[in-house]
Each structure stands twice: as C-alpha cells, then as structure tokens.
DNA sequence: TATTAGCTGCGACAATTGTCGCAAATTTTG
DNA sequence: CAAAATTTGCGACAATTGTCGCAGCTAATA
C-alpha cells in the first residue's frame, strides 16, 4: 500500500481537523486550493475509500467521510520515506525541523519522534522488508 | 515542471556522483536496487531526457548521460515541497535534519540552507500567485 | 568478412492519477 | 405533491509511470 497522493493528503488533513465531513464540505474547502470540480473531489474520495484511507458512512441521511489513517503514523511514514529516499538518511531522524509546522503541536512532535525511531529500527533490522512494505 | 520521480532521482544521484555514464553503467547500479530490466532503465533515461533532467551525448561511440539538474537546488526543491505540502511549514527550514545524510556534506548543507531561505522568501512574498490572483 | 553480442529507437500495455459528465435517486421546497 | 436542487454511483478519457519486447544497426571477433 503506498502513501496518499498530494490531494489525498489534503483531504486527510481536513478530516484530521474535523470529522466526519460530507463530500460537499470537503469540496468547499478544497476547491479554492486545488481548483477542482465537485466531481473530482468525489472521485478522489471514492478512490480513497477503495484504498482504505477513509471510510464512508451515513450521517443525517448523507454520506460522510472519516479518516481511517491515523495522523501521526501517516506523517511519520512520509518523513521516513522522504529522508530515506531523497537524503539516504537511515539513522534516527531529528524532529526539530517540524517545530514550525502548523499541522502538529509539541506533543505530536514527541509522538513523531518515537514513531520515527521505531521506523528507523525496523529498516535497520530488516532493510528489504521495511523498504518494500510500503511499496 | 515536476520533480523527478523516485527512480529518476536514483538515476540523478548516480550521475551526481560520476558523470557521464552509459545506460549500461547506470543499469548495473540500479538493477539490484530497483529490480529493473535493462529496457526499463533505458526508457526511464529516455523520458528523463525528454523532460530535460538529463542530456544524452556521444562519448567513445556510446550514448552517455549527464545530469542537467543541479544537485543542491534539486534537493532543496524536494525539501521545500515536502515541508510545505506535508507539514505546512512556510518559514525558513532548519537543516539540522540533514546532518546524517550520506548524500550531502557540510558545505552542501550550508548551500541547502541558503537555497531554502530563498525558496521560503519567494513563497512568502508570492503565495500561490497563479491560483488566486483575485484577492 | 560473416557472425554474434550488445546498443538504440520505438512501440506497447497495464496501473495510477487527474478530472470530468451523466443519468438515476433523493431531498428540499413552493 | 410536483418541480427544482442536490447527491450518488459509475463510466470515461487523457497523461504519467512502471515495465517490457522487438527489429534494426553497430561494433567486436573468429
């Protein structure tokens, strides 16, 4: 299973802020940024559902979406992948870089640090499996 | 212009180490890592040429490839994109994270810091000019 | 020089992603 | 309740990427 694509990540970020949301609500937030038509938003949601990134359920007679991916593990996977793939860093990653993020607070950064240590250990212990796990 | 894809970046990294290289030389390094057939390597090179990432020229009666993208600006673009897209960081980015990289040395990290400052300034001065010019 | 081994250009095919459009079902409203 | 506005489920199409295969050309060699 790969990582969410860029637009998929945007949707997840909205859901991590507030859940559940309808397609229309998500679209109204996304449209200005991505310049999408409503159909594009819905199709992306459909595909995310098929991939197990989000779940669709009925609330108040409407389809609403909730994230199935947890925020920090998902972000940690991005960081790990990026550091490995682009910079070939394999040891534990410093998290100072993320202090300025609008997306995560101090406690989440602490979580991130733990998650990254775990990921680094895994890929050190078993490089092949760790590398191909998300591929 | 998009960023190089993951395999394309691997090729660029090899070229940044040593240039020029033939398709065969690149392939022999990449095959174990990517599990590619020779044709896949060559097709990827062809596409990278079409995108202007690399140039193909004749040395010793053989097609050889050289990178047209510079290493540090390319890496800086990755960092900037990643920080913005995934973590919504817009201020200047700390580069401490990259100290452990096998790919860059101290002086290159210094370059990176400058490049990132520049990118951050640009995107601060001109946030999404193309998308929303009516505000 | 006739083979042969490797290189080149290109075409091809499947999977993914970006991006709709449409017709049917449902909900809202006059 | 009937008409209008939304919502939904799906199908579609183009561009990109991963990944070859093939037929022809070239260079090395017996």
């Amino acid at each position: 299973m790969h990582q969410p694509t860029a637009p998929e990540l945007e949707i997840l970020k909205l859901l991590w802020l507030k859940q559940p949301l309808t397609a229309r609500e998500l679209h109204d937030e996304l449209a200005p940024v991505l310049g999408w038509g409503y159909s594009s938003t819905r199709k992306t949601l459909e595909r995310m559902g098929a991939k197990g990134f989000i779940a669709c359920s009925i609330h108040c007679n409407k389809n609403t979406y909730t994230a199935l991916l947890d925020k920090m593990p998902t972000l940690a996977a991005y960081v790990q992948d990026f550091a490995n793939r682009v910079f070939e860093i394999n040891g534990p990653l410093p998290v100072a870089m993320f202090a300025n993020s609008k997306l995560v607070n101090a406690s989440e950064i602490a979580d991130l640090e733990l998650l990254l240590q775990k990921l680094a250990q895994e890929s050190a212990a078993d490089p092949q499996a760790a590398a191909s796990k998300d591929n």
Side-chain angles (χ1 to χ4, degrees), chain A:
Chain A
M1 187 68 62
H2 12 81
Q3 295 181 320
T5 64
E8 287 173 348
L9 180 60
E10 292 309 309
I11 288 176
L12 284 173
K13 289 202 278 202
L14 289 176
L15 291 177
W16 286 330
L17 276 180
K18 181 163 183 295
Q19 289 188 106
L21 290 173
T22 66
R24 176 63 66 184
E25 289 167 333
L26 285 164
H27 176 67
D28 290 345
E29 301 257 12
L30 249 22
V33 184
L34 298 179
W36 270 1
Y38 184 38
S39 288
S40 299
T41 305
R42 286 189 311 114
K43 182 54 117 184
T44 301
L45 288 170
E46 185 186 327
R47 285 175 177 159
M48 290 176 77
K51 294 183 201 168
F53 293 168
I54 58 178
C56 176
S57 51
I58 314 265
H59 270 256
C60 311
N61 293 333
K62 290 229 178 116
N63 278 6
T64 60
Y65 299 87
T66 49
L68 291 181
L69 295 181
D70 290 330
K71 178 176 171 183
M72 295 318 293
T74 301
L75 294 180
Y78 271 103
V79 173
Q80 176 73 20
D81 169 73
F82 178 77
N84 273 296
R85 190 170 52 74
V86 180
F87 278 89
E88 299 179 5
I89 293 173
N90 31 35
L93 298 165
V95 292
M97 165 171 181
F98 309 109
N100 290 43
S101 171
K102 301 175 153 178
L103 202 63
V104 293
N105 59 37
S107 121
E108 287 174 321
I109 288 187
D111 292 349
L112 181 63
E113 187 154 31
L114 285 182
L115 287 165
L116 289 175
Q117 277 170 16
K118 217 168 132 197
L119 286 176
Q121 273 177 8
E122 279 172 24
S123 76
D126 188 0
Q128 297 302 350
S132 59
K133 193 155 71 175
D134 48 41
N135 202 343

